[in-house]
């Protein structure tokens, strides 16, 4: 049975070692926003690179994209976000705190049941039960709630300096729509043929009602999304393919299998666009150790491309109505929509159709948290507590620590030379301060897989000590073999 790590331990290590800080801390902090410090920025960039490597670099059927965060407002009308991307909330009449209706607990509920999904607002409305028995999580009053009401999750902003060209825009709540909006561009400029995917990593923003648990749910976060376009009828097979590929990605990067599972969505839980959806869940250490969504994999059918064809037909209406989304309805679908501007022509089958889409959608911050939690360990070594992060080498912020045993007899110079050589290949850290044991412990806590120490013997036989983080085993390696030795061990 895996040890359950307390979130507090992770938060404190992250702060102490410069992984993650509260945003705007010098001004008292900004709720639910976080900054990544020197070690955190490396970790996060390694998570991104590992995703990109698996999803784009290693495949012949996926290309990348990087879209702007601000997009045409009709994108969000077509995608359904301006009408449906809201949480159902109720306000406590006693303390005025607003809570998501699906987060409210029954008075006599035995245990807190946290549902973390945003459900389509119409489904939520239909399900919004009687709130008379529900407890306010802030003040504890029972049944003092207002009628449930929708709360918009998209952040609005204004663009343009002049009255006649300024308009309301939204910070994107997901990166996926930028991919759909560029589907035609990618088709026209590359040689991709269906089945193929377009991948993107970037920031998304949601004005979440409840944020919680450190970087698990924040209002600004990073997503890694793939839209994989396939022929209708092959979608279920591709769904299975991506489900397995994404699960294995986490395992391959060291997440313990017993902390990872799938959760299939019930039919009434499915988002309005999805035919099937499965979450990859991780056992996060909140409360007594809860299973929570790490990544969602959805079969979005041909919904989005069809919707954007409708969006394109709505453009004139939008101009005629002072570019005000609230005054317009999306145009109907053209009868011959299967041959519309976002359709695909299959050269071999001489067929035109709107492709189906399988979407694995992961969170970079949420994955980084899962990797941190899973790697965190405490053990006792010779009567002393040792904290360590057992990161997979690909994720470790620093790959190699280089130390002189003492600050004399030419050891610092030799160690510096080794450090200067190795840093061309991996992220290294040079340290000559303090007792060697303490230097090792500091690197253990940062998750550094290997430490190299130059000592008295180095001058005699050109060997150094290579210490492995997890086992603490030390071997001697000759300096001219050092790079190949480390490359092999780190698999870099
Ligand atoms: P949740 O209900 O947990 O917010 P969701 O089902 O609305 O998730 P998706 O829209 O499927 O989330 O987003 C895909 C992924 O993006 C999630 O699995 C998660 O890893 C990440 N993500 C979504 N919202 C947030 C957030 N507020 N903070 C951090 N990561 C997020």
């Amino acid at each position: 049975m895996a040890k359950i790590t307390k979130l507090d331990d992770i938060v404190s290590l992250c702060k102490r070692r410069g992984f993650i800080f509260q945003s705007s801390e010098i001004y008292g902090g900004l709720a639910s926003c976080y900054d990544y410090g020197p070690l955190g920025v490396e970790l996060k960039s390694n998570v991104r690179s590992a995703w990109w490597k698996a999803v784009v670099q290693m495949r012949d059927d996926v290309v990348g994209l990087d879209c702007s965060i601000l997009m045409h407002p009709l994108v969000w009308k077509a995608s359904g976000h301006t009408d449906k991307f809201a949480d159902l909330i109720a306000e406590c009449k006693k303390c005025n705190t607003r809570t998501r209706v699906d987060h409210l607990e029954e008075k006599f509920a035995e245990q807190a049941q946290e549902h973390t999904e945003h459900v389509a607002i119409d489904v939520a409305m239909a399900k919004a039960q009687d709130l008379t028995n529900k407890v306010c999580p802030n003040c504890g009053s029972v049944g003092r709630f207002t009628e449930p009401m929708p709360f918009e999750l998209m952040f609005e902003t204004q663009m343009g300096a002049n009255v006649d060209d300024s308009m309301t825009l939204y910070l994107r709540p997901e990166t996926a729509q930028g991919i759909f909006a560029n589907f035609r561009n990618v088709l026209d400029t590359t040689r991709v043929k269906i089945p193929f995917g377009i991948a993107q990593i970037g920031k998304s923003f949601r004005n979440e009602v409840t944020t919680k648990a450190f970087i698990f749910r924040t209002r600004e976060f990073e997503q890694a999304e793939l839209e994989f376009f396939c022929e209708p009828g092959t979608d279920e097979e591709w769904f299975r393919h991506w489900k397995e590929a994404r699960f294995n990605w986490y395992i391959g990067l060291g997440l313990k299998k017993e902390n990872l599972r799938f959760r299939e969505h019930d039919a009434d839980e499915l988002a309005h666009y999805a035919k099937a959806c499965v979450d990859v869940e991780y056992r996060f250490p909140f409360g007594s150790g809860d299973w929570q969504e790490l990544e969602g994999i959805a079969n979005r059918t041909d919904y989005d491309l069809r919707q954007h064809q409708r969006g394109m037909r709505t453009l004139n209406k939008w101009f005629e109505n002072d570019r005000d989304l609230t005054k317009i309805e999306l145009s109907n679908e053209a009868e011959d929509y299967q041959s519309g501007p976002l359709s695909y022509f299959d050269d071999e089958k001489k067929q035109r159709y709107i492709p189906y889409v399988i979407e694995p959608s992961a969170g970079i911050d949420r994955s980084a948290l899962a990797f941190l939690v899973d790697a965190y360990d405490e053990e006792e070594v010779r009567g002393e507590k040792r904290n360590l992060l057992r990161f997979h080498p690909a994720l470790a912020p620093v790959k190699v620590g280089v130390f002189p045993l003492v600050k004399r007899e030419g050891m610092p110079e030799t160690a510096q030379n080794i450090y200067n050589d190795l840093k061309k290949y991996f992220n290294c850290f040079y340290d000559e301060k303090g007792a060697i044991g303490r230097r090792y412990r500091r690197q253990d806590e940062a998750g550094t897989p290997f430490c190299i120490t130059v000592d008295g013997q180095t001058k005699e036989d050109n060997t150094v000590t290579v210490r492995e983080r997890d086992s603490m085993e030390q071997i001697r390696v000759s300096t001219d073999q050092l790079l190949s030795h480390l490359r092999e061990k780190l698999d870099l």
Side-chain angles (χ1 to χ4, degrees):
M1 179 68 188
K3 178 177 67 66
I4 297 197
T5 309
K6 290 201 296 295
L7 186 63
D8 289 350
D9 295 333
I10 304 286
V11 176
S12 119
L13 179 130
C14 283
K15 170 86 204 279
R16 189 167 74 240
R17 293 309 312 273
F19 276 94
I20 299 165
F21 308 119
Q22 178 79 62
S23 161
S24 318
E25 202 181 280
I26 60 167
Y27 290 101
L30 181 65
S32 107
C33 293
Y34 291 92
D35 300 340
Y36 288 78
L39 287 177
V41 71
E42 299 292 342
L43 170 65
K44 200 170 153 186
S45 135
N46 293 339
V47 174
R48 254 189 237 122
S49 305
W51 187 89
W52 198 262
K53 185 173 178 187
V55 175
V56 184
Q57 187 187 323
M58 298 297 288
R59 298 191 59 115
D60 304 330
D61 55 358
V62 179
V63 294
L65 192 72
D66 183 16
C67 306
S68 61
I69 287 171
L70 300 175
M71 297 182 74
H72 196 288
L74 270 176
V75 166
W76 308 111
K77 181 80 184 166
S79 69
H81 282 84
T82 48
D83 298 330
K84 288 195 164 136
F85 198 57
D87 277 337
L88 202 59
I89 57 165
E91 190 169 309
C92 173
K93 288 181 204 151
K94 184 147 179 240
C95 70
N96 298 334
T97 303
R98 292 170 163 192
T99 311
R100 266 167 71 170
V101 169
D102 62 334
H103 282 183
L104 292 175
E105 292 158 32
E106 289 282 335
K107 188 175 170 197
F108 298 109
E110 266 179 28
Q111 209 186 356
Q113 257 284 329
E114 170 107 24
H115 301 287
T116 54
E117 301 296 324
H118 293 302
V119 282
I121 199 71
D122 39 4
V123 178
M125 280 286 197
K127 280 169 97 179
Q129 334 78 326
D130 176 13
L131 300 182
T132 46
N133 253 334
K134 301 284 184 184
V135 185
C136 171
N138 187 50
C139 72
S141 310
V142 180
R144 302 283 312 269
F145 289 102
T146 59
E147 284 292 301
M149 52 195 155
F151 178 77
E152 303 287 340
L153 293 174
M154 282 201 293
F155 282 100
E156 280 184 17
T157 188
Q158 288 302 121
M159 177 163 169
N162 300 308
V163 180
D164 47 346
D165 67 4
S166 75
M167 58 180 153
T168 300
L169 296 185
Y170 302 94
L171 301 189
R172 66 178 177 200
E174 61 176 35
T175 64
Q177 297 305 325
I179 297 181
F180 296 122
N182 278 288
F183 174 70
R184 190 80 252 162
N185 282 338
V186 174
L187 268 189
D188 292 348
T189 55
T190 64
R191 298 227 169 105
V192 288
K193 276 190 183 331
I194 276 182
F196 76 93
I198 306 179
Q200 164 159 239
I201 299 179
K203 289 262 174 135
S204 294
F205 303 82
R206 297 180 187 176
N207 195 7
E208 302 275 5
V209 181
T210 25
T211 56
K212 67 162 202 180
F214 200 34
I215 55 170
F216 178 85
R217 186 187 308 284
T218 50
R219 295 193 170 108
E220 172 179 344
F221 55 98
E222 207 165 315
Q223 286 187 309
E225 295 193 298
L226 167 69
E227 306 307 318
F228 194 84
F229 301 93
C230 61
E231 191 183 340
T234 63
D235 50 309
E236 290 179 15
E237 196 183 314
W238 281 111
F239 182 74
R240 282 193 295 277
H241 169 88
W242 281 108
K243 189 178 151 183
E244 194 183 323
R246 294 303 305 142
F247 194 88
N248 291 339
W249 182 78
Y250 292 103
I251 303 284
L253 286 171
L255 283 198
K256 295 178 200 78
K257 215 167 175 177
E258 68 262 29
N259 290 336
L260 215 53
R261 72 173 189 192
F262 285 121
R263 192 182 69 82
E264 309 277 346
H265 285 214
D266 295 333
D268 66 345
E269 213 190 328
L270 287 177
H272 58 281
Y273 51 76
K275 172 173 158 187
C277 188
V278 63
D279 289 343
V280 177
E281 290 192 333
Y282 180 75
R283 188 152 40 156
F284 280 101
F286 313 139
S288 55
D290 277 356
W291 292 98
Q292 310 259 14
E293 173 179 339
L294 189 53
E295 162 160 358
I297 302 156
N299 180 344
R300 294 178 78 122
T301 68
D302 53 1
Y303 176 82
D304 301 272
L305 291 176
R306 280 168 64 172
Q307 285 293 103
H308 285 300
Q309 290 193 155
R310 293 178 65 193
M312 291 160 80
R313 288 159 63 92
T314 316
L315 195 55
N316 279 346
K317 219 191 282 181
W318 180 73
F319 276 119
E320 287 156 18
N321 285 279
D322 312 320
R323 290 168 304 183
D324 184 346
L325 285 187
T326 61
K327 291 187 190 158
I328 56 167
E329 284 301 321
L330 208 58
S331 292
N332 290 334
E333 189 160 58
E335 269 179 32
D336 57 347
Y337 74 89
Q338 288 285 8
S339 54
L342 301 182
S343 64
Y344 173 80
F345 185 68
D346 184 326
D347 265 339
E348 278 157 36
K349 295 190 179 162
K350 306 286 177 229
Q351 250 176 18
R352 203 171 253 294
Y353 58 85
I354 307 281
Y356 266 40
V357 173
I358 306 302
E359 177 198 73
S361 171
I364 295 290
D365 313 80
R366 210 176 272 187
S367 302
L369 181 60
F371 288 123
L372 271 163
V373 166
D374 219 70
Y376 183 84
D377 204 1
E378 287 170 10
E379 58 181 28
E380 213 175 279
V381 179
R382 291 183 288 279
E384 259 186 56
K385 187 167 119 185
R386 170 169 101 116
N387 286 339
L388 71 160
L389 287 169
R390 297 184 191 271
F391 280 137
H392 184 283
L395 298 180
V398 177
K399 313 294 182 202
V400 181
V402 185
F403 316 140
L405 181 64
V406 287
K407 274 204 271 183
R408 47 175 201 275
E409 295 160 34
M411 290 182 211
E413 291 73 13
T414 310
Q416 276 281 358
N417 286 339
I418 291 174
Y419 166 70
N420 287 332
D421 271 351
L422 292 180
K423 74 179 179 191
K424 291 181 217 149
Y425 305 95
F426 353 88
N427 209 8
C428 297
F429 183 76
Y430 177 81
D431 189 6
E432 57 178 32
K433 290 191 200 83
I436 191 74
R438 301 226 6 223
R439 281 181 266 164
Y440 285 147
R441 292 288 184 276
R442 274 184 71 77
Q443 291 309 308
D444 289 344
E445 211 181 34
T448 307
F450 294 100
C451 288
I452 290 167
T453 304
V454 171
D455 56 18
Q457 202 181 318
T458 309
K459 217 187 315 181
E460 286 160 28
D461 63 3
N462 264 327
T463 62
V464 290
T465 301
V466 177
R467 173 190 180 270
E468 205 262 330
R469 174 197 66 208
D470 295 352
S471 62
M472 293 185 291
E473 245 169 50
Q474 302 193 10
I475 56 166
R476 292 204 77 87
V477 176
S478 86
T479 48
D480 50 0
Q481 296 293 311
L482 201 51
L483 179 60
S484 57
H485 175 86
L486 291 168
R487 277 203 142 148
E488 195 194 317
K489 294 278 175 197
L490 291 164
D491 195 18
L492 291 174

